[in-house]
Amino acid sequence: MIDFRSDTVTTPSDAMREAARDAAVGDDVYEDDPTVNELEARAADLAGFEDALYVPSGTMGNQIAIRTHTDRGQELLCDEQAHVYKWELGGIPQLSQVQPRILDCGDRGVPTAEQVRDGFVAEDLHRPGTGLLCLENTHNSRGGVAVPKADIDEAAAAAHDLGVPVHLDGARFLNACVALDTEPTELTAEVDSAMFCLSKGLGAPVGSMLAGDAEFVERARRIRKLFGGAMRQVGLIAAPGLLALENVDRLADDHANAARLAAGLNEVDGLSAPEPDTNIVMVNSEAAGLTGEELSAACKEAGVKFHAFGEDTCRLCTHLDVDEGDVDEALDLIAAAVADA
Ligand SMILES: *Cc1c(COP(=O)(O)O)cnc(C)c1O
């Protein structure tokens, strides 16, 4: 089975398993775990912030950030396709008692300065005020779009002019950095906090990082405790995370494999796939007379797994555990499955 469901399906390398076994550990609730402390320092450095917090998942990292930045009853601005809004079980109202105000940010998923200003609500007797702008890079539901620094900076500057802080859901922001050839510290320069996942393209089994200034991270640490994310001898899972940070440059391989996959899908009668920015390929099957669900079911039967992502669309992700040969084999299997369907 060739698995393109997500870049989260990778299994840890032997080196990661050894690092887990040999990790120096301590009680991280007392900030006594040297491996976690090292990971937090290195992640902060990499992303260009004063400090960082190790969290069990990207979802928890985002939701901690939202709770840390906002007050109960405020509004949060984000794209209508944002992960924080669409895929986190309504966590914004459930966990922070904050109301999302969604914007249609178009194909690229990032609001213009004007959209930020239009969506902003000033606090007064009747209106709750806007507490946070959330940006996403790469943008998952928009097809792994790598949002350039200039667009992030424009939206962030508009929010800051209105006194609104900015959080970046950067689950795959290192993919954006590699695709755009932009330094991580550049891409985050104008945002106030950023979350990124170790457990996606970087290949760690568990964990994400939430970075910000020291004062933000100190408050976020309390919210992590509140959400049940404070853990004990957690160096065991942080040690593979340190190795994952060495996998940044190889994300370019995933992007090359995604481009190869998209090009091959375009050769299949009835399928079309726009050229991907990063490791996420969106394929449309309308011309083949197949819904997304039908295409994914037929291909699964043939030995290739991926998810439907809308009526006539499926999403395929490349990652550490698929190589060029797997891509070519998958293309043959998909072509045969579509011809038979
Ligand atoms: C995967 C993802 C998350 C959530 O990460 P989990 O570790 O799966 O909770 C958040 N935002 C984006 C854009 C993602 O792709």
Side-chain angles (χ1 to χ4, degrees):
M1 189 64 79
I2 304 170
D3 196 345
F4 294 113
R5 283 174 302 169
S6 176
D7 46 8
T8 56
V9 300
T10 57
T11 52
S13 63
D14 288 343
M16 284 181 177
R17 291 170 193 270
E18 276 165 34
R21 189 194 60 202
D22 298 338
V25 296
D27 189 333
D28 185 48
V29 174
Y30 296 116
E31 298 181 48
D32 273 353
D33 191 299
T35 307
V36 174
N37 293 342
E38 185 186 346
L39 177 61
E40 291 178 341
R42 287 202 17 212
D45 237 32
L46 173 71
F49 290 92
E50 271 174 17
D51 205 353
L53 192 65
Y54 185 53
V55 291
S57 70
T59 300
M60 192 189 283
N62 281 335
Q63 294 298 328
I64 289 172
I66 292 165
R67 176 74 176 242
T68 305
H69 281 299
T70 59
D71 290 325
R72 185 169 57 169
Q74 285 186 317
E75 292 194 4
L76 175 157
L77 278 175
C78 65
D79 178 37
E80 65 184 20
Q81 296 290 332
H83 195 284
V84 291
Y85 171 69
K86 190 177 174 190
W87 299 115
E88 299 187 9
L89 286 166
I92 298 168
Q94 292 216 67
L95 300 171
S96 295
Q97 298 186 31
V98 161
Q99 161 166 288
R101 178 177 292 267
I102 55 170
L103 308 167
D104 177 357
C105 298
D107 291 351
R108 311 288 300 168
V110 60
T112 60
E114 195 183 344
Q115 281 183 303
V116 172
R117 285 190 290 268
D118 285 351
F120 172 74
V121 166
E123 181 185 329
D124 65 15
L125 181 59
H126 310 282
R127 308 195 76 188
T130 301
L132 184 65
L133 170 67
C134 272
L135 303 175
E136 186 171 320
N137 199 9
T138 64
H139 200 299
N140 183 347
S141 293
R142 302 273 187 196
V145 167
V147 183
K149 171 177 168 58
D151 297 342
I152 297 286
D153 289 0
E154 177 187 324
H160 288 152
D161 283 347
L162 297 161
V164 174
V166 182
H167 171 67
L168 178 69
D169 174 356
R172 298 187 182 85
F173 99 106
L174 293 164
N175 291 79
C177 295
V178 168
L180 298 164
D181 197 19
T182 302
E183 286 298 318
T185 52
E186 283 291 299
L187 214 53
T188 59
E190 301 304 322
V191 302
D192 302 288
S193 60
M195 183 285 288
F196 67 96
C197 293
L198 303 170
S199 58
K200 292 190 170 166
L202 302 182
V206 196
S208 296
M209 306 306 305
L210 176 59
D213 66 25
E215 187 262 349
F216 170 84
V217 171
E218 191 183 321
R219 289 188 297 124
R221 193 177 289 281
R222 295 189 79 236
I223 305 296
R224 184 184 67 173
K225 175 78 175 168
L226 174 68
F227 288 179
M231 300 178 285
R232 303 295 178 175
Q233 284 72 27
V234 74
L236 289 183
I237 51 174
L242 278 165
L243 293 179
L245 292 180
E246 289 167 20
N247 284 337
V248 176
D249 291 340
R250 67 145 303 282
L251 294 171
D253 299 343
D254 295 347
H255 301 172
N257 286 332
R260 189 180 182 89
L261 182 59
L265 289 168
N266 278 318
E267 301 286 308
V268 178
D269 239 7
L271 299 187
S272 63
E275 192 181 331
D277 281 3
T278 57
N279 70 324
I280 295 177
V281 175
M282 294 291 195
V283 59
N284 186 290
S285 53
E286 196 179 356
L290 297 171
T291 64
E293 291 292 350
E294 287 165 349
L295 178 68
S296 87
C299 291
K300 186 178 170 191
E301 190 83 1
V304 186
K305 273 201 220 176
F306 52 84
H307 287 304
F309 218 75
E311 186 55 31
D312 304 305
T313 309
C314 289
R315 188 193 80 163
L316 290 78
C317 266
T318 56
H319 52 78
L320 246 172
D321 290 356
V322 291
D323 61 18
E324 204 178 279
D326 296 320
V327 168
D328 291 343
E329 189 185 337
L331 285 167
D332 288 342
L333 294 168
I334 293 169
V338 172
D340 285 350

